[in-house]
Amino acid sequence: MKAHDGMYIDGEWRTATGPDVIEVVNPVDEQVIARVPAGTAEDVDLAVRAARAALPAWAATAPAERAARLAALRDVLAARKDEIADTVTAELGSPLKFSQNVHAAVPVAVAGSYAELAATHPFEEKIGNSTVHLEPVGVVAAITPWNYPLHQIVAKVAPALAAGCTVVLKPAEDTPLVAQLFAEAVHEAGVPAGILNLVTGLGPVAGQALAEHPGVDLVSFTGSTAVGRQIGATAGAALKKVALELGGKSANVILPSADLAKAVNVGVANVMSNSGQTCSAWTRMLVHRDQYDEAVELAAAAAAKYGERIGPVVNAKQQARVRGYIEKGVAEGARLVAGGPESPREQGYFVAPTVFADVTPEMTIAQEEIFGPVLSILRYEDEEDALRIANGTVYGLAGAVWAGEEAEAVAFARRMDTGQVDINGGRFNPLAPFGGYKQSGVGRELGPHGLTEYLQTKSLQF
């Protein structure tokens, strides 16, 4: 598979400063498909310097021109959607249809939304005798994960560019190829040199250097809560602004009045999507005690249909991690009703679609983010008990509520300590703010709220 052997810095592909490379492995057959350079602190410094040099001109560019470049980027991404889908399938292992419908399509919609926002957002307002200006925060370090590799890139870079910021992007080492495609798309869209810079590399080296760099004004990171704490501490020492989208252990609350079969089937599909590698996945299904046995049967039957339909997890380390959680669930007394720790295939980093029953709130599998195709089903006694269980983790990223009447579901959702709740299977909205409460992060992505993260405020009094 095609890969650049350099870094995209200041509008061109430059030879890396160090000799080390990262091998990109296809999770389906465990074969090396490409090699990319492992960036050094020197590569990061060159990229940040390029971003700083490009900042004044880009920040002064009219919002309409920034909108035009983002619209062009949207169009390039749309034109290259097949290549993008093929690339994500190769380096992440995602089934091709899912790569086409989600990994390639959603970033086009998000880029388009910021093209519109760049042209229409009120960057200035009058408050009494003051004029309030919204200005770009500066140079952004965008450190992105592997699970939705292009979506997470666009969700950070597009609002940053719309705000007038410049960016240094450090993608996950497992999925650097689609990041290189994105850099090509930015170049093809006519975005001026230095505004988007790409450094591939390892988190402890390139990522750490980027978070520490004095030329960076904001660090936007998506990934684990543990790494988010480290980045937050590093950035905080320099009083840099941070945006952290971290882990989740979201509850799918099925109230007694809901359509049980629909709620369970959609809930299982949500957990199995992207091989369970979704931070907002509804990995805890909460069911009333009177409907519990029926829900378990429905979930087990639904999970069995995914055996040949989901791809592998991203790498051997992640496979071992997920299988370890499944073994711990069994050891702590949960009951396997689908799947298990044994790999369903001899080759590839596959994990069987797994469903646990008789899970109690204090069990490890009900408290910690597994990041694999593993569902825990918990029973509750009444609505207050359901709320206690739903809010009973350190996370608060997403969730779902099902009820016969929308108003009943909304009333429950308002009491959940989480950033986003789907009501009776509500659809994804690329303009709605996404982000968490508690240890699920700081800040919001997508839509106008996501744009605000990359702006700072100046007041002029008259």
Side-chain angles (χ1 to χ4, degrees), residues 32 47-48 66 101 199 224 238 268 285 289 376 396-397 417 425 427 447:
V32 175
V48 174
R66 300 201 294 263
N101 294 340
V199 176
S224 72
V268 171
M285 181 179 289
R289 62 181 181 181
S376 296
L397 186 58
D417 298 333
R427 294 179 294 110

Side-chain angles (χ1 to χ4, degrees), residues 62-321:
E65 173 56 24
R66 300 201 294 263
R69 292 307 99 214
L70 284 166
L73 175 60
R74 173 202 60 205
D75 294 344
V76 174
L77 293 174
R80 300 185 69 173
K81 65 182 186 302
D82 291 338
E83 184 182 5
I84 289 168
D86 289 344
T87 301
V88 175
T89 291
E91 61 184 349
L92 181 61
S94 172
L96 183 58
K97 185 176 180 181
F98 190 81
S99 292
Q100 293 169 336
N101 294 340
V102 177
H103 289 297
V106 172
V108 173
V110 173
S113 74
Y114 280 112
E116 295 180 10
L117 281 167
T120 61
H121 192 77
F123 290 98
E124 182 178 298
E125 66 174 326
K126 290 281 190 179
I127 301 178
N129 65 309
S130 300
T131 299
V132 180
H133 293 271
L134 298 179
E135 300 178 347
V137 73
V139 173
V140 173
I143 304 175
T144 58
W146 44 260
N147 60 325
Y148 289 90
L150 184 57
H151 166 64
Q152 292 289 351
I153 288 171
V154 173
K156 297 181 188 303
V157 175
L161 268 54
C165 298
T166 56
V167 180
V168 179
L169 168 64
K170 205 297 284 184
E173 49 263 36
D174 290 290
T175 54
L177 302 182
V178 76
Q180 291 188 341
L181 283 182
F182 177 75
E184 293 176 1
V186 167
H187 192 90
E188 188 177 341
V191 176
I195 292 168
L196 183 280
N197 305 275
L198 170 68
V199 176
T200 54
L202 302 176
V205 180
Q208 184 70 16
L210 194 50
E212 292 176 346
H213 200 290
V216 168
D217 300 295
L218 181 151
V219 182
S220 180
F221 168 78
T222 296
S224 72
T225 297
V227 176
R229 286 195 191 97
Q230 296 174 6
I231 289 176
T234 298
L239 296 180
K240 295 178 184 178
K241 187 176 180 182
V242 295
L244 304 173
E245 198 269 280
L246 307 175
K249 195 67 185 177
S250 301
N252 179 18
V253 182
I254 304 175
L255 297 176
S257 62
D259 181 333
L260 183 65
K262 181 178 180 180
V264 169
N265 284 318
V266 174
V268 171
N270 175 278
V271 173
M272 301 307 161
S273 177
N274 208 39
S275 302
Q277 299 169 130
T278 304
C279 55
S280 58
W282 311 332
T283 53
R284 295 181 298 144
M285 181 179 289
L286 278 55
V287 184
H288 189 272
R289 62 181 181 181
D290 293 342
Q291 299 173 315
Y292 188 82
D293 291 342
E294 183 181 358
V296 168
E297 289 184 11
L298 289 167
K305 299 176 183 178
Y306 285 88
E308 299 297 323
R309 292 166 54 185
I310 65 172
V313 294
V314 69
N315 56 35
K317 181 180 178 181
Q318 186 66 16
Q319 182 191 44
R321 181 179 188 271

Side-chain angles (χ1 to χ4, degrees), residues 4-5 14 29 53 70 79 106 109 249 266 309 333 351 355 360 369 398-399 427 429:
H4 290 278
D5 59 2
R14 297 186 179 183
D29 60 16
L70 284 166
V106 172
K249 195 67 185 177
V266 174
R309 292 166 54 185
V351 176
V355 177
T360 57
E369 185 177 46
R427 294 179 294 110
N429 179 2

Side-chain angles (χ1 to χ4, degrees), residues 289-380:
R289 62 181 181 181
D290 293 342
Q291 299 173 315
Y292 188 82
D293 291 342
E294 183 181 358
V296 168
E297 289 184 11
L298 289 167
K305 299 176 183 178
Y306 285 88
E308 299 297 323
R309 292 166 54 185
I310 65 172
V313 294
V314 69
N315 56 35
K317 181 180 178 181
Q318 186 66 16
Q319 182 191 44
R321 181 179 188 271
V322 175
R323 291 171 68 180
Y325 271 110
I326 296 172
E327 291 169 351
K328 184 168 286 189
V330 173
E332 292 183 359
R335 175 167 55 98
L336 272 173
V337 296
E342 297 79 16
S343 179
R345 303 190 192 183
E346 292 184 1
Q347 188 179 45
Y349 308 127
F350 290 88
V351 176
T354 298
V355 177
F356 278 106
D358 300 336
V359 178
T360 57
E362 70 278 1
M363 288 182 179
T364 302
I365 58 172
Q367 289 292 323
E368 297 184 11
E369 185 177 46
I370 298 172
F371 227 60
V374 182
L375 170 65
S376 296
I377 308 180
L378 298 88
R379 61 169 55 82
Y380 65 85

